[in-house]
Amino acid sequence: MNLLSIGGSDPSSGAGIQSDVKTFAGFNVYGLTAITAITSQNTSRFGMVEPASQKILKSQLESVISDFKIDGIKIGMVFNSQVIKIIHTKLKKLKIPIVVDPVIKSTTGGMLIEKSAMVDFQKYIIPLATVITPNKYEAEVLAKTKINSKNTLEKVAMIIQEMGAKNVVITGIEEENKKISDFVLEKNTKYTISGNQITSINHGSGCNYSAALIFAIAENKTIQESVKFAKKFTYNSIKNAEKIGDGITITNITKHDNIHVELSDAIDKFVKFKEIYKNIPECQTNFVYSKQKPKSTKDILGISGRVVKAGKKVIVAGNLAYGGSKHIATALLTINKKFPEINSAVNIKYQKKTISKIEKSRMLVCSYDRTNEPKNVKIGSSTIEWGIKKAIKDLKVPPDVIFHEGDFGKEPMIIVFGNTPKVILKKLSKIV
Ligand code: PXL
């Protein structure tokens, strides 16, 4: 995937296009850039701004648009009317999702747009937005209305939507009990996504949010999924922020873990499968995702508790942690030794009808018989290792599913395997 960031250069690399390239790289995305202005700033002070000339901006945009297949565009700092008009001209005919981050001021006080450019920003940039992501202050400036209640929040979002943005996300609305939420106004719906607040002043979180959002949208996630993804990603970038310079901390996206984001996303979707509670076994479910070439279960991310059944509800009990699963992680570790492309697994309840669905959907399924297990294995803790090895002994290609029908006092079980959690969800959608 290729994503384009149009914005300002920040020599501290905490924000602006440098930060976006880092964020994209963390997603394994190729980051393209077009620089609208050069700023001088560090973690304590904002120095100066020089806008790019019209000629060089135009040429940058032409260079990337003519060459690459661009899957999504983020627009950040635009600074002045000339920049705004060029961006509008070059982008208006493209059919590519665009996230507009309407940045006005840096945390350290620098102006990222000239006052006189606000009218043109509204006229030429906002209508390009698939999603616009103002924080509370930026939303108030754009709508010329104070936000001091749920009513005014919704009103401000509507005003911005009427300016031409398809979807509006007002970020960072502080709530009671250390929660912070994003208010989303789509075409026909509105809702709030709430999360935990970290009270720290940092450099970069706004850019992280909009860059993660365009990634998720370009991946064809829904607006709601994309907002949740961007929020979680930004939360982690703030949590891992580092004091690199003398001033405020810089958010950290290099420690961002794709494995974590993908597994957590898949678990969110798994628990929403229709009547999934019917597929949770007595010993509950774990869903795991491994680093490349895992050496032990410590290299495999799993739920430190389990996915548990509570009546007809299914709840994720515990956090994601490396080494969080023993049983399913051991199954994955065993299969990964023979088929290194298999990096994810989930266990579901054994049911005859599930097995027949698996067979009908032409997945490769194999099994082992726990009652054949040698006594010396039973004493140790590696029953599952023995079983998986036995099941895949003669296979030339990796199986989709391995099951066993139990033993005295041992619950039968189905384990679904795949390259990634996403692939597993696809398989599950055919069988549960
Ligand atoms: O986070 C907003 C932002 C965007 N772009 C540049 C910036 C900043 C904040 O400092 O410097 C270039």
Side-chain angles (χ1 to χ4, degrees):
M1 180 188 289
N2 305 316
L3 295 174
L4 167 63
S5 171
I6 304 175
S9 160
D10 167 7
S12 79
S13 298
I17 53 130
Q18 287 88 344
S19 156
D20 288 348
V21 170
K22 287 190 290 180
T23 303
F24 295 157
F27 298 137
N28 260 334
V29 165
Y30 196 83
L32 305 160
T33 62
I35 299 179
T36 55
I38 299 180
T39 73
S40 64
Q41 58 177 309
N42 56 31
T43 53
S44 308
R45 272 176 304 280
F46 195 92
M48 54 182 281
V49 182
E50 261 182 30
S53 72
Q54 288 169 268
K55 207 166 140 197
I56 190 65
L57 177 61
K58 230 185 247 171
S59 184
Q60 289 179 79
L61 288 168
E62 283 163 5
S63 303
V64 287
I65 292 168
S66 64
D67 190 2
F68 301 93
K69 179 190 172 293
I70 297 172
D71 301 289
I73 299 174
K74 176 194 143 170
I75 303 175
M77 176 183 184
V78 291
F79 197 62
N80 67 21
S81 282
Q82 286 93 318
V83 166
I84 285 169
K85 284 177 188 160
I86 289 165
I87 295 173
H88 176 82
T89 308
K90 293 292 169 198
L91 267 52
K92 67 180 177 204
K93 292 222 176 79
L94 301 181
K95 293 201 163 36
I96 301 173
I98 297 176
V99 166
V100 172
D101 188 5
V103 293
I104 296 176
K105 249 190 212 173
S106 82
T107 317
T108 46
M111 288 307 290
L112 304 171
I113 184 164
E114 289 177 343
K115 258 212 169 99
S116 59
M118 288 306 286
V119 173
D120 282 338
F121 185 83
Q122 182 179 326
K123 190 166 163 194
Y124 294 114
I125 299 293
I126 295 184
L128 296 173
T130 311
V131 187
I132 189 166
T133 60
N135 59 27
K136 182 169 169 248
Y137 164 74
E138 290 155 354
E140 287 175 337
V141 173
L142 290 174
K144 300 195 183 73
T145 307
K146 272 265 167 222
I147 296 172
N148 46 29
S149 64
K150 183 104 179 75
N151 252 344
T152 48
L153 176 65
E154 291 187 12
K155 193 174 146 200
V156 162
M158 276 166 67
I159 294 172
I160 298 170
Q161 196 176 52
E162 277 160 17
M163 293 173 182
K166 274 208 185 73
N167 303 283
V168 180
V169 181
I170 303 181
T171 63
I173 306 294
E174 289 184 23
E175 293 181 351
E176 289 155 20
N177 51 37
K178 291 197 175 154
K179 293 276 175 192
I180 189 150
S181 70
D182 298 339
F183 176 72
V184 185
L185 179 64
E186 294 189 30
K187 190 168 175 219
N188 295 315
T189 53
K190 55 186 180 195
Y191 50 90
T192 298
I193 307 284
S194 191
N196 292 330
Q197 183 175 22
I198 306 175
T199 38
S200 75
I201 298 175
N202 64 72
H203 185 47
S205 52
C207 290
N208 300 157
Y209 187 97
S210 46
L213 189 66
I214 190 58
F215 166 68
I217 290 170
E219 266 209 323
N220 286 321
K221 287 190 165 70
T222 64
I223 298 295
Q224 185 162 4
E225 286 168 341
S226 301
V227 168
K228 280 188 187 166
F229 176 85
K231 192 164 172 58
K232 201 177 271 180
F233 176 77
T234 308
Y235 175 85
N236 286 331
S237 81
I238 300 172
K239 199 171 81 180
N240 293 324
E242 281 182 317
K243 194 162 162 64
I244 297 171
D246 272 344
I248 59 178
T249 59
I250 290 180
T251 57
N252 190 329
I253 48 200
T254 51
K255 280 188 196 153
H256 154 72
D257 177 353
N258 244 338
I259 292 174
H260 199 286
V261 172
E262 282 180 38
L263 182 59
S264 142
D265 191 46
I267 291 169
D268 284 351
K269 290 196 175 110
F270 175 75
V271 299
K272 289 190 194 117
F273 269 66
K274 200 167 166 236
E275 298 193 317
I276 192 66
Y277 72 94
K278 290 183 178 166
N279 288 281
I280 305 295
E282 294 315 311
C283 70
Q284 319 287 9
T285 282
N286 213 322
F287 201 153
V288 300
Y289 191 19
S290 167
K291 291 181 184 172
Q292 292 295 318
K293 297 187 185 142
K295 288 197 178 64
S296 73
T297 54
K298 289 200 182 98
D299 291 327
I300 299 176
L301 190 67
I303 307 165
S304 61
R306 297 281 164 89
V307 176
V308 299
K309 205 167 32 176
K312 289 187 176 181
K313 264 198 165 158
V314 168
I315 299 163
V316 182
N319 295 320
L320 289 183
Y322 284 96
S325 155
K326 278 279 157 288
H327 198 66
I328 302 306
T330 302
L332 179 62
L333 193 63
T334 310
I335 203 165
N336 178 278
K337 284 201 179 113
K338 180 163 179 181
F339 300 110
E341 67 271 41
I342 299 301
N343 283 303
S344 189
V346 68
N347 67 306
I348 56 172
K349 188 184 175 84
Y350 173 88
Q351 297 175 91
K352 281 229 159 64
K353 64 174 186 193
T354 311
I355 297 294
S356 71
K357 273 191 194 169
I358 290 168
E359 284 165 349
K360 269 192 203 129
S361 62
R362 286 203 256 139
M363 288 184 200
L364 180 56
V365 53
C366 56
S367 64
Y368 60 95
D369 184 349
R370 280 186 68 139
T371 59
N372 290 340
E373 186 184 348
K375 280 213 167 52
N376 59 345
V377 176
K378 267 190 180 138
I379 295 162
S381 59
S382 52
T383 302
I384 187 119
E385 189 182 341
W386 166 83
I388 298 287
K389 268 189 190 154
K390 196 163 166 60
I392 63 174
K393 194 162 83 62
D394 297 323
L395 293 186
K396 297 274 185 294
V397 291
D400 299 296
V401 172
I402 300 179
F403 72 90
H404 70 78
E405 293 179 303
D407 191 0
F408 184 72
K410 298 289 177 196
E411 190 184 11
M413 193 63 63
I414 295 174
I415 306 181
V416 182
F417 295 94
N419 299 22
T420 65
K422 214 175 185 175
V423 169
I424 289 193
L425 289 182
K426 212 173 235 172
K427 292 179 186 178
L428 285 173
S429 68
K430 293 180 193 156
I431 60 180
V432 298

